[in-house]
């Protein structure tokens, strides 16, 4: 495994070298450590934490404070992976000043090496302002979960032609705008495979797909989907590599039954008081005590 630190320029180079980029979301120290040691290239502290960690129905309520809190844990575990912080809903749309301040917090307080934000033409000026002060930006176009209410749900985008938001031509323009504004990579979410392939061919920055087919320059999944820890719904594009919910549930059921039956803890899990050894009476004195 290549143990060299993954950097922003390295991610940009991957496209030229034809080496795919692997990215996963991470929200805490123990999992971030496992992912980093397993060789993942990019750890994204995504606003999906609202859904898979906090149990919300959308990502909209997630705050900058919450992302920073989770970033700190993930950044502490990082040795090799690039850590990216997701700018949550309304942390970058109100003004460029707020975008700069919030993205700055992700780096200064959270330890992120880059930030991600959703949108295309509509956020190009914001991306340009962030990159102008050396805050590397990853774009995100297509199915953008922060636009869930405009889209009428988490729906595949780019199936219809046209330049209205979510239309095929509009998504081509969005991806181009993100690149022109200075983003170093772009997530393509929930779009047809052929559209993702066309965007990937047109752009010189890497595309990282989720529900966008195999012809992207990299792939990203939500960790809890991959591990089988989130079962409210299973996105078609996701792949469950293991069913941790079942494994963890089995372990906990066994623990409950062993506590109830008294099979746990055994002697091996217990502490013992030091042995008290009575020594023979010293002449004229009290018995001496020693711990054995
Ligand atoms: O917030 C997130 O986890 C994301 C990924 C799904 C790309 O944006």
């Amino acid at each position: 495994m290549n143990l060299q630190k993954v950097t922003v320029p390295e991610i940009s180079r991957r496209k030229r070298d034809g080496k795919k980029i692997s990215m996963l979301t991470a929200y805490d120290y123990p999992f971030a450590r496992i992912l980093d040691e397993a060789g993942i290239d990019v750890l994204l502290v995504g606003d999906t934490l609202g859904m898979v960690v906090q149990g919300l129905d959308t990502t909209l309520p997630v705050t900058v404070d919450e992302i920073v809190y989770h970033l700190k844990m993930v950044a502490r575990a990082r040795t090799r992976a690039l850590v990216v912080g997701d700018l949550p809903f309304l942390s970058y749309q109100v003004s460029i000043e707020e975008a700069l301040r919030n993205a700055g917090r992700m780096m200064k307080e959270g330890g992120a090496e880059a930030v991600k934000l959703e949108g295309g033409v509509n956020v190009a000026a914001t991306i340009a302002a962030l990159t102008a002060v050396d805050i590397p930006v990853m774009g995100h176009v297509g199915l953008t979960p922060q636009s869930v209410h405009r889209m009428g749900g988490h729906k595949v985008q780019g199936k219809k032609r046209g330049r209205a938001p979510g239309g095929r031509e509009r998504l081509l323009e969005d991806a181009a705008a993100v690149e022109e504004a200075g983003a170093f990579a772009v997530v393509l979410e929930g779009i047809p495979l052929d559209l993702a392939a066309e965007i990937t061919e047109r752009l010189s920055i890497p595309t990282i797909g989720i529900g966008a087919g195999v012809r992207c320059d990299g792939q990203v999944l939500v960790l809890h989907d991959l591990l089988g820890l989130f079962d409210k719904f299973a996105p078609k594009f996701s792949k469950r590599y293991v069913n941790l919910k079942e494994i963890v549930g089995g372990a906990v059921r066994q623990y409950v039954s062993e506590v109830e039956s008294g099979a746990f803890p055994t002697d091996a899990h217990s502490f013992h008081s030091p042995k008290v050894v009575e020594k023979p009476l010293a002449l004229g004195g009290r018995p001496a005590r020693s711990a054995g």
Side-chain angles (χ1 to χ4, degrees):
M1 195 200 343
N2 181 2
L3 292 177
Q4 232 180 346
K5 175 82 185 81
V6 181
T7 60
V8 166
E10 160 68 10
I11 293 295
S12 310
R13 271 195 299 273
R14 288 287 183 90
K15 180 149 187 147
R16 196 196 56 210
D17 297 347
K19 186 161 187 292
K20 296 258 187 182
I21 299 158
S22 61
M23 172 159 134
L24 276 175
T25 62
Y27 313 101
D28 62 27
Y29 178 83
F31 275 120
R33 232 186 115 143
I34 295 170
L35 271 41
D36 188 78
E37 285 175 8
I40 204 80
D41 293 320
V42 185
L43 293 172
L44 170 68
V45 180
D47 60 3
T48 41
L49 85 88
M51 298 174 78
V52 300
V53 176
Q54 299 174 337
L56 300 165
D57 289 332
T58 73
T59 60
L60 300 190
V62 174
T63 66
V64 173
D65 283 345
E66 287 165 349
I67 296 279
V68 169
Y69 173 78
H70 287 269
L71 260 173
K72 285 182 184 173
M73 300 179 225
V74 169
R76 229 169 263 148
R78 157 205 44 209
T79 60
R80 174 182 172 273
L82 183 80
V83 173
V84 178
D86 214 3
L87 283 164
F89 183 55
L90 285 197
S91 67
Y92 57 95
Q93 294 93 335
V94 175
S95 68
I96 284 181
E97 207 174 296
E98 278 198 37
L100 286 167
R101 191 163 293 119
N102 289 324
R105 283 193 62 199
M106 307 241 158
M107 297 181 84
K108 283 167 75 85
E109 295 173 40
E113 295 159 280
V115 300
K116 179 174 85 57
L117 55 78
E118 297 180 9
V121 175
N122 60 330
V123 292
T126 307
I127 295 176
L130 291 168
T131 53
V133 294
D134 289 340
I135 297 179
V137 177
M138 180 180 282
H140 184 159
V141 309
L143 191 175
T144 44
Q146 292 175 20
S147 316
V148 60
H149 297 305
R150 173 184 50 79
M151 297 183 300
H154 293 99
K155 296 194 173 146
V156 174
Q157 303 292 293
K159 287 210 247 176
K160 291 193 189 139
R161 300 210 73 97
R163 299 188 60 231
R168 186 178 175 103
E169 283 68 29
R170 172 62 178 266
L171 291 179
L172 285 164
E173 280 173 15
D174 280 338
V178 163
E179 166 165 307
E180 266 163 44
F184 72 95
V186 59
V187 169
L188 302 180
E189 178 166 356
I191 60 174
L193 176 150
D194 61 294
L195 175 56
E198 187 173 346
I199 294 174
T200 302
E201 263 168 42
R202 285 191 187 192
L203 297 192
S204 58
I205 57 172
T207 59
I208 303 178
I210 174 164
V214 72
R215 287 160 71 189
C216 297
D217 299 304
Q219 297 292 326
V220 55
L221 281 181
V222 172
L223 180 65
H224 288 49
D225 291 338
L226 176 148
L227 296 180
L229 281 172
F230 182 73
D231 62 357
K232 263 195 181 167
F233 57 87
K236 169 184 158 70
F237 56 75
S238 202
K239 179 170 173 186
R240 185 176 286 177
Y241 284 78
V242 63
N243 191 341
L244 268 198
K245 185 179 179 222
E246 215 170 273
I247 294 171
V248 173
V252 173
R253 276 191 296 278
Q254 188 179 344
Y255 168 71
V256 169
S257 121
E258 290 188 7
V259 168
E260 287 173 357
S261 70
F264 177 83
T266 65
D267 208 43
H269 304 110
S270 309
F271 300 102
H272 297 272
S273 297
K275 279 200 188 109
V276 175
V277 178
E278 294 288 340
K279 283 205 172 158
L281 271 184
L283 260 185
R286 296 157 174 261
R289 295 171 83 91
S290 73

